[in-house]
Amino acid sequence: MQEDKEGFFDTVDTLISTLEVSPAMLKSVRIKTDKTTGRRANGLLAGKPTWADYLVNKGVCFPRAHEATGKLVTYGVKKGKSLKI
């Protein structure tokens, strides 16, 4: 009966290891607010989930919507375009 739980036990072990290293990793995270603030202000960072959701609501499957939106965001960042709906 234990064989069906092997995946669960592996997941717990991985989660514990991840949680043990997370505090040290988070202490060293540096966010370049000068880079993110401008993109967020013109909709480039916030655009991806919104556009993917829009496409899904129009009948596009999520993986295809996510891929298309990723390309759109990349284009917008390169060209300095806003993606606001």
Side-chain angles (χ1 to χ4, degrees), residues 1 9 16 20 39 42 48 50 53 55 61 64 70 79-80 82:
M1 296 295 283
F9 294 135
I16 290 171
E20 287 173 349
R39 291 179 181 165
N42 68 17
K48 192 166 185 173
T50 304
D53 291 341
L55 291 173
C61 69
R64 195 171 296 246
K79 300 290 184 176
S82 174

Side-chain angles (χ1 to χ4, degrees), residues 7-46:
F8 173 75
F9 294 135
D10 288 344
T11 301
V12 170
D13 291 341
T14 301
L15 180 60
I16 290 171
S17 298
T18 302
L19 292 175
E20 287 173 349
V21 300
S22 292
M25 180 205 59
L26 291 174
K27 285 181 184 178
S28 65
V29 169
R30 299 291 178 256
I31 299 172
K32 297 179 180 179
T33 55
D34 58 320
K35 304 263 186 204
T36 59
T37 303
R39 291 179 181 165
R40 185 180 63 238
N42 68 17
L44 291 175
L45 293 180

